[in-house]
Amino acid sequence: MKGKLVWMTEPLKFEVREYDLPETIEPDAVLIEVLQTNVCGSDLHIAKGNLPHLRCGGIGHEVVGRIVKMGERRTTDNAGQPVNVGDRVVPTYIVSCNNCSYCLQGLYSSCLHSNKYMGKQNIAPYFHGATYATHYYIHHDQYFYKVPEGITNQEASSANCALTQVYSAIDKANVKPGDSLVIQGAGGLGINACAVAKERGAKVIIIDTVDSRLELAKRFGADHVINMEGLDLRGLTKRVRELTNGMGADFGMEVAGVPAAFSQGPHLLRNGGKYIVMGNISIGQKVEVDPAILILKAIKILPFAGYEPMYLYKALQFLERNVNKYPFNELTDAAFTLEEVAAAIDKSIKREVTRATIVVNQ
Ligand SMILES: [Zn+2]
Ligand SMILES: [Zn+2]
């Protein structure tokens, strides 16, 4: 039997290729059929060719799927919950091998093998390290968790990236009740971050240039939204101070993926503020920074990439608790097929859609 996989032949050029599905799988591995997979900001960086080591091959990493085959030793997910063929699961898209020098220190998100299967779609079992496909092979060194009942595919589809990344960053930065958080960027990460921070009791301010994204952010718990179109840094800083008793925010969070956001962020914080930075993952992009601002304001920079795998389990529990409180089912706002991946990416780059989703075996 064959499955289909979207192949990027060069930046922004895609074709659907067919490969044999694995007949036998490793004892601890699992094969899922993809139900839904999203277009995330980092996929756009990859699609544009901004990540030099991933300029061709498979693409995609946010996914929810249904188990179609299990290795002979596999009986549970990584939380010990029994799993069977037919169950819906979400995998971590990065590998945490448990054996390398970083994993042994508990730094699972820095695992030396984290991107082991990315760009390897020409090597059997083909359906790994990329989710814009009919199937996805979860290797023994990837974690996966069962999707709680009552959560739709659409709601679960952002869990393994956007939601878990911001959940782990906000948890590790220790945002507490009463803290103020200013979020730069109302894309998938920023909107999920509104709900996570709100549930921790924080006051949430979010900045973007697109009103529809800011409207959605409000429904995800943002207390204040700022459309920065036409505002210079001085105007933006003034607006944030007005909303934070003249002080500036306790926490900042850069999830815009725009280098300029990094140079603006520290200005929006109070002295001693903490600045969570996550959005700029394309190496080589430069921006001017005023180092004196960081020193004189004693700003702490907290960079986060990836997450420890157990945070995906916590994020799914968060989703289960809050799925009726926030409109997670509206986080993806345009559906495409595998054959339409080029259009999904194009509309996402032009910001005509907030988060495109690719619906596969449904
Ligand atoms: Zn490792
Ligand atoms: Zn992502």
Side-chain angles (χ1 to χ4, degrees):
M1 248 180 80
K2 289 189 186 295
K4 290 181 187 172
L5 181 76
V6 173
W7 192 274
M8 183 164 89
T9 52
E10 60 182 279
L12 300 176
K13 293 266 181 298
F14 304 93
E15 62 187 37
V16 177
R17 294 186 178 178
E18 288 199 348
Y19 289 95
D20 287 327
L21 291 171
E23 285 190 4
T24 55
I25 60 175
E26 297 163 292
D28 292 303
V30 166
L31 181 70
I32 62 174
E33 57 180 10
V34 172
L35 295 169
Q36 206 158 330
T37 172
N38 298 335
V39 178
C40 166
S42 41
D43 296 316
L44 301 181
H45 287 299
I46 292 169
K48 287 190 269 188
N50 293 345
L51 271 62
H53 58 294
L54 290 172
R55 289 170 66 91
C56 73
I59 182 168
H61 58 281
E62 285 193 4
V63 68
V64 55
R66 187 189 292 123
I67 298 177
V68 289
K69 220 175 231 186
M70 290 173 33
E72 62 197 29
R73 276 205 300 261
R74 182 52 86 169
T75 55
T76 67
D77 68 4
N78 287 90
Q81 306 175 101
V83 285
N84 287 300
V85 167
D87 284 342
R88 292 180 307 147
V89 298
V90 289
T92 59
Y93 65 89
I94 41 172
V95 169
S96 300
C97 77
N98 285 320
N99 298 314
C100 75
S101 52
Y102 285 125
C103 283
L104 290 172
Q105 292 179 61
L107 298 170
Y108 298 102
S109 60
S110 297
C111 175
L112 290 172
H113 309 289
S114 59
N115 295 334
K116 193 172 166 184
Y117 305 113
M118 287 184 188
K120 303 277 169 59
Q121 291 73 38
N122 53 348
I123 301 167
Y126 312 114
F127 297 90
H128 56 175
T131 59
Y132 296 172
T134 52
H135 295 76
Y136 183 81
Y137 189 100
I138 305 174
H139 286 273
H140 68 93
D141 46 11
Q142 279 176 281
Y143 286 60
F144 71 90
Y145 300 100
K146 201 165 164 174
V147 176
E149 277 185 32
I151 294 177
T152 64
N153 294 331
Q154 187 154 0
E155 288 154 354
S157 64
S158 300
N160 77 335
C161 176
L163 177 60
T164 307
Q165 312 258 48
V166 296
Y167 185 99
S168 72
I170 289 171
D171 189 54
K172 287 186 275 190
N174 198 19
V175 174
K176 296 186 297 300
D179 286 340
S180 53
L181 167 70
V182 60
I183 300 169
Q184 298 168 284
L189 270 72
I191 284 172
N192 275 292
C194 289
V196 173
K198 190 72 188 171
E199 287 304 305
R200 289 179 77 103
K203 173 161 132 178
V204 182
I205 303 161
I206 188 162
I207 302 168
D208 202 277
T209 55
V210 180
D211 280 332
S212 58
R213 290 156 65 111
L214 291 170
E215 283 305 312
L216 187 59
K218 272 190 205 165
R219 297 172 60 210
F220 272 82
D223 297 288
H224 303 282
V225 301
I226 302 174
N227 188 328
M228 65 179 285
E229 194 71 54
L231 279 181
D232 61 6
L233 179 57
R234 183 186 287 259
L236 187 59
T237 305
K238 183 167 171 276
R239 188 81 191 96
V240 172
R241 286 200 180 152
E242 283 167 3
L243 298 171
T244 52
N245 301 324
M247 301 289 286
D250 300 307
F251 286 87
M253 183 175 211
E254 185 283 302
V255 282
V258 178
F262 178 77
S263 59
Q264 296 183 338
H267 293 268
L268 310 179
L269 305 186
R270 67 161 168 82
N271 289 0
K274 292 178 184 155
Y275 190 31
I276 299 165
V277 293
M278 306 177 70
N280 283 295
I281 56 156
S282 298
I283 290 181
Q285 299 199 53
K286 305 282 176 20
V287 71
E288 282 190 357
V289 173
D290 186 344
I293 296 292
L294 300 177
I295 296 165
L296 297 174
K297 291 183 74 171
I299 301 294
K300 291 181 190 66
I301 308 253
L302 306 173
F304 296 104
Y307 52 81
E308 290 72 17
M310 43 294 286
Y311 269 113
L312 176 54
Y313 179 62
K314 289 172 191 269
L316 286 167
Q317 291 179 308
F318 176 86
L319 204 51
E320 191 175 23
R321 285 195 302 277
N322 295 295
V323 76
N324 295 322
K325 198 162 171 185
Y326 303 105
F328 285 99
N329 60 345
E330 292 176 38
L331 259 183
T332 59
D333 57 348
F336 298 84
T337 64
L338 279 181
E339 285 72 20
E340 295 168 337
V341 161
I345 287 186
D346 182 57
K347 285 182 189 293
S348 303
I349 288 173
K350 291 178 179 156
R351 301 180 96 190
E352 288 170 14
V353 300
T354 297
R355 211 164 188 78
T357 192
I358 296 153
V359 177
V360 191
N361 296 291
Q362 287 191 50

